[in-house]
Amino acid sequence: MSTASYASPPSSVYSYATSTRSTRSTRSNDFAYNVGDHSSKSKCNSASEKSRKYLRRLLKFKQMDFEFALWQMMHLFVSPQKVYRNFQYRKQTKNQFARDDPAFLVLLSLCFCATSVGFGLVMGLPVVKIFKLLLWVVLIDCIAVGIVIATIMWFISNRYLVLVSRVGQDVEWAYAFDVHLNAFFPVLMILHCLQLFFINPLIDKTWFVSTLVGNTFWLAALGYYIYITFLGYSVLPFVKKTVALLSPMILLCIVYFITIACNWNITRGLLWFYKHRV
């Protein structure tokens, strides 16, 4: 029998290898998590206790595993499946899929700061407006929109995708928000980092090729978001029909070709919005 293994993350992460057959049976056997076991459930922290513990750790940088967070960020681009395998491992060891270490959130915030400053400089904004842009991107584009998306996905997955609604078999809201953060990181890097080098010389023009290049960045970024979101829910052993989460890809491609045909440059529209918003 051939054994499928994946590259080991940093030393702070436990790596493991599973066979192809055991991977298929995992969804029905290994990840039962003692559903319905009220004695084990009573030992688990409540959602509010977990939230308070998570927030307290935000100020304890020495306890954060930044090495593992960097490993996750790197693999969200090259192999996002490996990131979600460690979410499965966390469920087995800590009885929760959601992160209990805010290191990823801290690094993501730093990325927001750096890319927002770069975006503001490319747009030629003064310091005060760059700060306003940073607040807008962090508080609105990521957190507020993320809360809305996570809530919608949490409701849809628990209402329509969970196999059987039983004790312990539900999608945690915190996990739904983690999935959003995972999917949003490539979007941030593609649109607010990589695209910056092309805005002034090429994208922020009235040429057709400017629209083609700019909108292709959006296609790649949102395509990443949809795919990583799909992976996030497909690893849950009690969630079915997750392939439906890929259906927005069809709408994304349709909108992409419509904008190209109409020569509607989405990036130029975003630049105009940010300039008038901040």
Side-chain angles (χ1 to χ4, degrees), residues 4 15 42 61 94 115 162 222:
S15 60
S42 63
F61 295 100
K94 300 183 179 180
T115 57
V162 172
L222 297 181

Side-chain angles (χ1 to χ4, degrees), residues 1-148:
M1 182 184 300
S2 61
T3 302
S5 59
Y6 63 90
S8 298
S11 57
S12 57
V13 185
Y14 295 95
S15 60
Y16 57 91
T18 56
S19 65
T20 305
R21 183 176 300 175
S22 63
T23 301
R24 296 194 186 102
S25 63
T26 292
R27 297 180 68 88
S28 59
N29 299 323
D30 296 342
F31 291 98
Y33 308 129
N34 297 322
V35 175
D37 185 352
H38 295 276
S39 61
S40 63
K41 182 172 179 288
S42 63
K43 297 178 182 178
C44 300
N45 294 326
S46 65
S48 59
E49 290 174 338
K50 293 177 181 178
S51 299
R52 286 194 295 269
K53 181 180 178 181
Y54 184 89
L55 292 175
R56 285 196 301 267
R57 292 191 65 181
L58 277 173
L59 301 177
K60 299 178 180 179
F61 295 100
K62 292 183 179 180
Q63 297 182 8
M64 298 182 190
D65 192 348
F66 290 107
E67 185 183 5
F68 181 38
L70 286 171
W71 178 88
Q72 292 182 81
M73 288 181 166
M74 179 185 68
H75 281 79
L76 283 172
F77 281 100
V78 297
S79 183
Q81 298 91 336
K82 295 179 182 178
V83 176
Y84 286 115
R85 287 177 189 172
N86 283 280
F87 277 77
Q88 290 179 324
Y89 179 78
R90 185 181 300 110
K91 178 63 177 180
Q92 289 180 304
T93 57
K94 300 183 179 180
N95 201 34
Q96 69 177 54
F97 280 108
R99 291 185 177 94
D100 59 347
D101 184 354
F104 185 91
L105 180 60
V106 171
L107 291 182
L108 183 62
S109 300
L110 293 177
C111 290
F112 268 116
C113 294
T115 57
S116 296
V117 170
F119 213 92
L121 293 175
V122 168
M123 294 169 60
L125 299 177
V127 176
V128 175
K129 288 195 173 184
I130 290 178
F131 181 71
K132 290 181 179 180
L133 175 64
L134 171 62
L135 293 179
W136 178 273
V137 172
V138 173
L139 298 179
I140 305 298
D141 290 355
C142 181
I143 296 179
V145 174
I147 290 174
V148 173

Side-chain angles (χ1 to χ4, degrees), residues 170-200:
D170 62 341
V171 178
E172 308 160 12
W173 186 91
Y175 178 75
F177 189 70
D178 271 342
V179 171
H180 164 72
L181 294 181
N182 289 343
F184 195 81
F185 176 69
V187 174
L188 177 68
M189 291 294 100
I190 293 173
L191 296 182
H192 280 223
C193 184
L194 182 60
Q195 187 179 215
L196 290 182
F197 299 99
F198 299 90
I199 288 180
N200 283 336

